[in-house]
Amino acid sequence: MRIKNIVLTLKMPKKFDFLMQFAVLILILFGTLMIVSTNVGNTTKDPYIIPKVLAKQLFFIIVSYVLMTFFANNFTMKRAQKLFPIFGIGIIIALFSTQLFEGVLGSKAWIRIPIPGLGEMTIQPSEFAKVYMVVVMAVFVELTARRRKFKFWTIVRIPVYFFMVIAAAILLQKDLGTLFVLVLLCAICFLIPSHISLRKQQRWVRLGLIIGCISIVFIMSEPVIDFLNGIGPLQHVAVRIENALNPFTDPHNNGYQLINGLYGFARSGFTGVGLGNSIQKYGYLTQSDNDFILSIIVEELGIFGLMVVVLGYVVILQRLFYYAFHTKSEGYKVILVGTAMYIFIHFALNVGGVSGLIPLTGVPLLFISSGGSSLMSIMTAIGISQSVISRIRRQGSVAVSAAAKQLPHT
């Protein structure tokens, strides 16, 4: 159905990437199974918790799938160019409105909507801000790609303005993990364009990323912890670094979650204890269906559960990078690589945090963890990427093999 050139359908566009779509749906179904499994541990507090959690998760899956198909069928650079100010202002308003709601552990990053019979639904606007910044950077890269005389500030002015306001709002929320992801994501996207006016600044950003990676080794040290403890607003960062180094220094308070997450990994063995047989989800891990869901997956399903997650991510990332390398449009490259890095950064930070390799950042495991905002956001990004892939394949930038032509379309 079409309404003023807007396609309303639950089908994907022609020549979308079926393999990536299959991996996304498998991860979501697997994540839903594990979310239900982890919440079995809460039935002692609420005997109706399973149907409530399942109903909420199914609602978010349906909304996310609709968002994915909508953007897959309707996203174009031209429309993004026209509508980015409206979406940007809406996201900024939503980001600052979180200050009106109760925070969690000192962070006010959520809009809370009460739902009778199901508790409340929380929306985290900063998740959508990540996808928005990728699209905005892609739009301005595409606009200036053929105009080599544009100066640096002409190209980046609008994206920088939006980035600064969004970053300020997230900093006000005291959500440093999300701010770190946003900065890293935008920095990587900035390195993609080949415009001559950007090359000098790209060298500095590249150097900054290298220094940042090297400095991680030094951040995980006692002198840095002592320094951060002397700065009031950053004391919680020092605590997270200290917990990553040795969570047993405060096992009943700040190190409690990480210790019990590690117990889940240690208890799993090679094959796991069996689906539904986790002990850690019975009150030991309070974030068992969110930040620490990987610990429950490994505890119950062992290496096989971990491989489902890893292989799913590998397939999605491979497909996104494949098309990014096979298109001449730099705007499309920013979208595809940006989506891939959005997924990879979340994966690296989540796995590194729950395993104690790096400080906890509080970012979810995309497609797997509970949370409607992260699922709707990443599915929106997947929908936009599928729209780009569809156009790349229809334009002949990527050869479509005979086998690929026979893949089923939904």
Side-chain angles (χ1 to χ4, degrees), residues 7-10 59-74 379-380:
V7 179
L8 300 178
T9 178
L10 294 180
F59 170 77
F60 282 127
I61 289 175
I62 292 171
V63 172
S64 300
Y65 189 85
V66 170
L67 284 172
M68 179 188 67
T69 55
F70 177 82
F71 281 99
N73 285 284
N74 295 286
M379 289 293 275
T380 297

Side-chain angles (χ1 to χ4, degrees), residues 77-132:
M77 285 293 192
K78 190 174 182 179
R79 284 175 178 161
Q81 180 186 353
K82 290 181 179 180
L83 297 175
F84 83 86
I86 298 174
F87 280 97
I89 293 171
I91 288 174
I92 289 170
I93 292 173
L95 285 168
F96 282 104
S97 69
T98 60
Q99 300 302 311
L100 304 175
F101 299 88
E102 183 180 356
V104 177
L105 299 176
S107 177
K108 291 188 174 183
W110 296 270
I111 296 173
R112 301 182 179 278
I113 305 172
I115 302 177
L118 294 176
E120 66 177 12
M121 179 176 68
T122 58
I123 301 296
Q124 189 174 5
S126 56
E127 288 297 323
F128 299 96
K130 299 170 188 175
V131 180
Y132 174 77

